Amino acid sequence: MRNSTSSFPTTSKKKIIISVCTALAVYALIFILIRSFWDPDNEFWYTAFNMRRIKGYDYTAFDLFGRLHLTELGLTLAASFAAYHIFKRASETRQNRILIIWAWAIALEELFKDTVMLATGQFQWDHLPFHLCGVNIFIALWYAYARRDYLAEFLYAFGLSGTWVALITTSWQACPLLNFSHLHSVFFHALLAVYIIMIMAGGFRPHIWNIWKVFAVLLLTIIPAVIFDTAVGTNFFFLCETENNPILELIHSLCGNLYLAGLFALVVVCVLIMYIPWIIRDIVLHVKSLK
């Protein structure tokens, strides 16, 4: 008789193969449907790049901190707040399952975006997930299975701050609400923000002494970005261009040829800001322990 432990890996492999084949079939169907019915003149499919190419570099479809923008920020905050409390009350087993499912949802949503870009003939090397938020897809999947504190630290310091900077200073301002790139960008960043909040709800607490690990992971994630930026002229991590982002535009205007130095300084400041609440917390707890 075959022992039960030996059948588990076989069962897992079958599930993985079935899941992969199902996902490929679904994305192939999506590609065929969009390719068959895609109207190249319908602005719903235009990327921010193509919207600006057609309507001008300074074209904007909505105002920063206007009604639409504030509504999207508010909904993301509300979703994060609800997820924090729901996740905190869940059992450890359910928390593990939620994080795995959520990490795959982030990855599959990104793959859906790439499928649409390919189907509409708008895919560019820049659409690969090697921007800071894109890199967090891999880190989120890695953390869902490995649960390393330095991965959670990276997701908090760079994932959460980068996600909210992206939501607040949108690079998709040229796209109206009823536009695929607009909807994808908001939904993707909201998924990532909620995922990191759930990690915090699970009990993870950042510590300033681990900041070197955060920058070590950052250096590793920048390697593919630099390779692609150099080889095919992409702009991953915004190392080459500002892409009309208001904060990056300001850095470029202030720093000129020292734009990369200014960009690095911005990263350091953002990370330090993320750690300030925890530094204060540690100081308060230390003072209380002395009483």
Side-chain angles (χ1 to χ4, degrees), residues 19 134 149 157 189:
S19 299
D149 280 352
H189 288 94

Side-chain angles (χ1 to χ4, degrees), residues 139 142 148-155 157-158 204 207-221 271 275:
I139 304 296
W142 189 1
R148 301 288 187 265
D149 280 352
Y150 61 86
L151 298 176
E153 203 90 37
F154 181 88
L155 286 167
F158 284 112
F204 170 75
H207 199 288
I208 190 65
W209 298 117
N210 294 325
I211 198 169
W212 68 272
K213 296 179 182 178
V214 170
F215 280 97
V217 175
L218 177 66
L219 287 175
L220 290 175
T221 60
V271 171
Y275 277 93

Side-chain angles (χ1 to χ4, degrees), residues 16-232:
I16 292 170
I17 292 171
I18 291 171
S19 299
V20 169
C21 290
T22 302
L24 289 174
V26 169
Y27 284 114
L29 179 61
I30 291 170
F31 178 89
I32 292 168
L33 289 173
I34 294 175
R35 193 71 177 171
S36 300
F37 298 102
W38 173 53
D39 177 6
D41 295 323
N42 190 331
E43 292 186 356
F44 176 81
W45 302 110
Y46 287 1
T47 62
F49 173 82
N50 284 326
M51 289 290 280
R52 293 192 184 101
R53 182 175 58 82
I54 294 168
K55 301 196 175 188
Y57 182 76
D58 295 327
Y59 173 76
T60 57
F62 62 92
D63 295 327
L64 286 181
F65 305 110
R67 185 180 300 174
L68 173 61
H69 189 209
L70 288 175
T71 299
E72 290 171 345
L73 294 177
L75 288 173
T76 304
L77 275 174
S80 298
F81 181 82
Y84 180 90
H85 290 281
I86 293 171
F87 190 86
K88 194 172 184 179
R89 294 191 183 99
S91 66
E92 185 177 350
T93 302
R94 183 166 291 181
Q95 286 182 353
N96 293 337
R97 190 178 297 120
I98 290 171
L99 287 179
I100 290 172
I101 293 171
W102 207 275
W104 276 108
I106 294 170
L108 291 173
E109 203 280 336
E110 177 69 11
L111 185 56
F112 176 63
K113 180 263 293 180
D114 289 336
T115 302
V116 171
M117 293 299 106
L118 284 166
T120 58
Q122 297 180 98
F123 183 83
Q124 297 176 333
W125 288 111
D126 291 274
H127 290 126
L128 292 173
F130 296 128
H131 275 298
L132 181 56
C133 290
V135 163
N136 280 291
I137 298 171
F138 304 108
I139 304 296
L141 280 169
W142 189 1
Y143 179 79
Y145 291 97
R147 299 302 173 83
R148 301 288 187 265
D149 280 352
Y150 61 86
L151 298 176
E153 203 90 37
F154 181 88
L155 286 167
Y156 171 77
F158 284 112
L160 194 60
S161 61
T163 293
W164 275 100
V165 167
L167 285 167
I168 292 169
T169 63
T170 69
S171 59
W172 56 90
Q173 202 179 352
C175 301
L177 174 61
L178 296 180
N179 172 275
F180 176 79
S181 291
H182 183 124
L183 295 172
H184 155 74
S185 298
V186 174
F187 189 58
F188 170 80
H189 288 94
L191 282 175
L192 189 55
V194 168
Y195 180 83
I196 300 166
I197 287 298
M198 289 193 295
I199 291 175
M200 304 297 294
F204 170 75
R205 293 296 178 266
H207 199 288
I208 190 65
W209 298 117
N210 294 325
I211 198 169
W212 68 272
K213 296 179 182 178
V214 170
F215 280 97
V217 175
L218 177 66
L219 287 175
L220 290 175
T221 60
I222 284 179
I223 291 172
V226 172
I227 291 172
F228 274 93
D229 287 353
T230 304
V232 294

